[in-house]
Amino acid sequence: MTKAEPPTSTTTTTVAEEDVGTALSEVPPKTEDMKASSRAGKSYRHTFAVHTKLAPSPLSKEAPPESYRGFVNLGMLLLFGNNVRLIIENYQKYGILISLPGSKVSNEDWILTGLAHLLVPLNVILSYQLERWAMKRAIGHRKRLSELSPLASSHGRTNGHTNGNNDEKDPKQVLKDLNKVETSIRRTQKIFGWLHALNVIVILAWTSYMSYYKIFHPFMSITCLMNGTIQFLKMTSYSLTNHDLRAGFIYDLPLEKFQHTRRVHDAASNTFVSHQEVYEYEVNYPNNITFKDMAYFWFAPTLCYQPSYPRSTVFRKSFFLKRIFEALTCLGMMYFLIEQYATPTLQNSVRAFDQLAFGTMLERVLKLSTTSVLIWLLMFYTFFHATFNAMAELLYFGDRGFYLAWWNAGSVGRYWALWNRPVYIFFKRHIYLPMITAGASPLLASFVIFTFSAIMHEILIGLPTHLIYGYAFAGMFFQIPLIALTRPLEKWRGTGTGLGNMIFWVSFTILGQPACALLYYYHWTKRHIDDGSVVPVSAT
């Protein structure tokens, strides 16, 4: 037998490098390998290089994207702990303040609210009937135009000379009859336009009158006004859309005539959302003027009328029931937060307002902001997600884009375009685009929209509280300078900028809503403190 040759230096170096690579590998070596290396007498080399490349700290700006899920979990844990502390503190101070929902509403308010809601459908039926009458007139006008237009064109080609046929009408008489028909068309369009305008004004005026003069409880008044406002906007869209469809039907206009409107629509859509193809209606005028069509639009979760909508094909019972359960749960949570947390904070702020104690007033605003933002988020989820999706599922309504990712908005303008899509699309379709196509500037169109929106906010808040002080109007109207302030930030730092998003959250949910709520509650308390409507909450 020959003796084994001792290992050379080259072999020893290779083995040592392999051992070091195994020990410092990102994947930990197996325990068996480490034990075998130890038994073999192989040791760790202290000269191995551990700093081998340029690397920034994970929190540095130049570092690659990193997940901060741990910090999110920590923030949620701190928020949960703080809210638990507030719950304990609130219970120790006031006990249980929850009462049966509706127990503080008088029987008279229940009756008057029901009466206000029941009479609104009469105006909806009247809108449908007006369109039925207008449709019959449009059919007659179209028939008369189809009879006269060929005669007028043929007389124009022959330069007014007759061919000796006694049945041929006089060219001048044909043109005269044609002018009469066109005059009748314009007059009819104006008459029905004004009748529709009067009808929608009555809808809003009726609910406003009942809310301000007859119904005392603010919540009952708000439900009445919300119903009236929704139907006001719906019937406005119904009349304006059918006005244009009726004109296209009478003159038999081809689709190419509306290409310029499509281009403007696409350009406006590209401002905040991705490009979408214009939907082709499956039902043409006048086949859409039916009571079934009106009833569907009446309950559909949209403010913009169309002869047809994208429709889903399957009713998902479990999806529908989940949304109903979510809506009822969120409503209960909202009621709990209002009664148990918001009301004591509001009542305890009245003395600070009387004494002009600005430090205490600021503390109350910040304390109320936590509760108000939770109530506002629950309100958003209740209506824009749970309720609207339940209605859409029941009606097979296919377009469920009731909101987009507004919580990531990098500017105030982007927020208003994303959070309440039904209202935003209504304003764009019926105010913004008509003004732009008529030659108005985008700035003027936006100013008109925000002014109208500010007036509607004052109606929806000032009338139910019986306080027409302009706080809601000012809060909405001054969104214009906030938009002008945050839009350059978005251009400077990019879409979804964190700085612009923080400005949005601070201005809207911390300083805006709580301050407005405190102002309205203060004036409400000072007005009704002597009639027993306001019962102070005493600490236990």
Side-chain angles (χ1 to χ4, degrees), residues 191-207:
I191 290 174
F192 281 102
W194 282 109
L195 289 175
H196 273 296
L198 179 62
N199 183 51
V200 298
I201 290 174
V202 168
I203 295 176
L204 193 60
W206 163 250
T207 52

Side-chain angles (χ1 to χ4, degrees), residues 325-528:
F325 176 76
E326 290 173 352
L328 294 177
T329 303
C330 290
L331 285 174
M333 294 173 65
M334 290 168 60
Y335 181 75
F336 172 77
L337 289 172
I338 292 172
E339 288 288 302
Q340 189 69 34
Y341 294 97
T343 301
T345 303
L346 289 169
Q347 292 187 357
N348 292 334
S349 64
V350 174
R351 180 178 297 179
F353 272 82
D354 286 334
Q355 298 175 352
L356 294 180
F358 294 105
T360 305
M361 291 166 60
L362 179 60
E363 185 269 336
R364 295 298 173 186
V365 169
L366 295 176
K367 185 176 182 179
L368 185 62
S369 65
T370 304
T371 306
S372 67
V373 72
L374 289 176
I375 295 173
W376 182 75
L377 290 175
L378 286 170
M379 180 274 298
F380 160 77
Y381 192 88
T382 301
F383 294 103
F384 286 89
H385 184 76
T387 304
F388 287 177
N389 270 287
M391 295 173 63
E393 191 69 21
L394 190 64
L395 297 172
Y396 295 89
F397 190 82
D399 187 0
R400 311 289 175 91
F402 309 120
Y403 60 91
L404 297 178
W406 55 265
W407 46 87
N408 295 326
S411 65
V412 177
R414 185 173 291 272
Y415 160 76
W416 286 113
L418 298 179
W419 101 275
N420 189 342
R421 295 290 295 171
V423 171
Y424 169 77
I425 294 173
F426 176 89
F427 283 144
K428 186 182 77 170
R429 187 194 196 199
H430 296 299
I431 298 180
Y432 185 83
L433 291 181
M435 291 187 66
I436 295 298
T437 53
S441 65
L443 181 61
L444 177 60
S446 300
F447 179 81
V448 170
I449 288 173
F450 273 95
T451 302
F452 179 77
S453 181
I455 294 173
M456 296 306 299
H457 275 74
E458 184 65 27
I459 290 175
L460 288 172
I461 298 177
L463 294 184
T465 57
H466 311 96
L467 301 170
I468 309 297
Y469 289 159
Y471 296 138
F473 177 89
M476 189 64 198
F477 190 78
F478 283 106
Q479 297 297 309
I480 299 177
L482 282 177
I483 292 174
L485 175 65
T486 56
R487 181 170 293 174
L489 289 176
E490 193 172 35
K491 293 181 179 179
W492 171 40
R493 301 180 65 94
T495 303
T497 167
L499 180 59
N501 186 256
M502 290 296 294
I503 293 176
F504 149 67
W505 280 113
V506 170
S507 63
F508 192 77
T509 61
I510 296 181
L511 299 179
Q513 289 185 351
C516 191
L518 284 174
L519 288 171
Y520 275 104
Y521 186 83
Y522 172 76
H523 290 292
W524 169 269
T525 302
K526 302 302 290 185
R527 175 175 292 188
H528 298 287

Side-chain angles (χ1 to χ4, degrees), residues 105-115 210 213-216 220:
V105 181
S106 65
N107 293 331
E108 182 181 3
D109 277 355
W110 281 110
I111 296 173
L112 292 174
T113 303
L115 178 64
M210 294 296 292
Y213 291 104
K214 298 298 182 180
I215 304 173
F216 174 77
M220 305 300 288

Side-chain angles (χ1 to χ4, degrees), residues 153-287:
S153 60
S154 63
H155 285 308
R157 289 192 298 268
T158 59
N159 198 22
H161 295 289
T162 63
N163 57 8
N165 189 351
N166 293 329
D167 294 335
E168 189 173 356
K169 293 184 178 181
D170 181 23
K172 294 182 179 180
Q173 184 62 37
V174 171
L175 293 176
K176 186 176 181 181
D177 293 341
L178 186 61
N179 289 332
K180 286 183 178 179
V181 174
E182 292 182 346
T183 301
S184 177
I185 293 172
R186 290 192 294 268
R187 183 171 60 249
T188 301
Q189 291 282 72
K190 288 182 179 180
I191 290 174
F192 281 102
W194 282 109
L195 289 175
H196 273 296
L198 179 62
N199 183 51
V200 298
I201 290 174
V202 168
I203 295 176
L204 193 60
W206 163 250
T207 52
S208 298
Y209 169 78
M210 294 296 292
S211 298
Y212 190 75
Y213 291 104
K214 298 298 182 180
I215 304 173
F216 174 77
H217 199 280
F219 176 77
M220 305 300 288
S221 297
I222 286 178
T223 62
C224 175
L225 261 178
M226 284 299 297
N227 184 23
T229 302
I230 290 172
Q231 300 309 323
F232 167 79
L233 297 177
K234 277 178 173 280
M235 294 305 106
T236 298
S237 179
Y238 184 75
S239 62
L240 292 175
T241 303
N242 279 308
H243 178 279
D244 288 352
L245 292 175
R246 190 163 59 246
F249 170 76
I250 293 173
Y251 292 103
D252 196 18
L253 298 177
L255 294 177
E256 289 75 13
K257 291 287 185 180
F258 301 98
Q259 289 298 327
H260 69 288
T261 306
R262 293 186 180 189
R263 288 192 293 269
V264 174
H265 179 278
D266 293 341
S269 298
N270 288 334
T271 304
F272 292 114
V273 297
S274 59
H275 172 78
Q276 297 179 351
E277 294 183 0
V278 177
Y279 175 72
E280 296 290 348
Y281 296 143
E282 299 176 359
V283 180
N284 295 323
Y285 188 92
N287 297 328

